[in-house]
Amino acid sequence: VDLSAQIANMSVKNLFLNASGIHCQTEQELDELMNEPVSGAMVTKSMTPKSRFGNPLPRYYRLANGSINSMGLPNQGFDYYMDYLKNHDQKKPIIVSVAGMSKEEDLEMLHQLQDNDDYQGLTELNLSCPNVIGKPQMAYDFEAADDLLHEVFSFYKKPLGIKLPPYFDLVHFDMIAEVLNKYPLSHVNTINSVGNGLWIDTNSETVVLKPKGGFGGVGGSMVLPTALANVRGLRQRLNDDIKIIGTGGVTNGRDAFAHILCGAEMVSIGTQLYEEGLQTFERVTRELTDIMEAKGYTSLGDFRGKLKVIE
Ligand SMILES: CC(C)(C)CCc1c(C(=O)O)[nH]c(=O)[nH]c1=O
């Protein structure tokens, strides 16, 4: 299902989906998302060609106002998710997230998806995937990202979006948008976790995550300002036909409303969904609906992208 088609008849009921990585690694988790009555789509954990256990534990830690993780791409492997798609009727669009541990792995999986006649789904390439050693992650190496997307779109003809990490410099918004506007992307999903944060237990004077000396991606309510800036900054720069899925810092209806004001077509929920469970979708949808009613809005289009600046 092409996300933009799904968006065409969007109502607030089907605005939400899980953030990749949350409640979407195993068949049981995917079934629970599929059968969750409110969310309008779902996304798989980013997959690699072969299954991976991921990093040693502890690799996720809850913070007062967010989370930090260095999971290391634990997933059941490409074939497992392809089997899942084949053996389960899709009550809602399933976005297939792909994150190779290298450019070669990305291309390998995308070739398999392109050549699989049974697969007509929407794919999301996670550009936070590692680049060559010594280079920043793909999404922070604009030339490498351009080369990768150029190669991908030379053969990949099905709906494809990308997942981006946050940017923090307005010129970086300009630079990544200049690259992305060259390609027929279905969507951009922004943001991924804020990279390489560090949390410390000062009682024990120790980091809280085992992998990477404690460095990990930060999510949850504390990243909402960065998420809103990236949704807004990219909406202002990307071609209109590249939709935006807003991710990052959504804990309630008001946060979702802010993402939509910035231009998000759909909104994904990560840390809050992990901590509160699948009931989050019903609660946040109710809160958003209440806000819309109080403001006299009857559809998302009434306020999507209509953030006001102070003249
Ligand atoms: C960080 C990578 C391991 C390269 C990709 C998978 C991923 C992870 C992960 O599996 O550690 N965690 C995140 O917050 N975002 C991600 O995109």
Side-chain angles (χ1 to χ4, degrees), residues 45-46 69-74 99 126 128-130 192-193 217:
K45 169 65 185 175
S46 295
N69 89 83
S70 185
M71 307 302 285
L73 267 174
N126 184 342
S128 286
C129 50
N192 203 326
S193 51

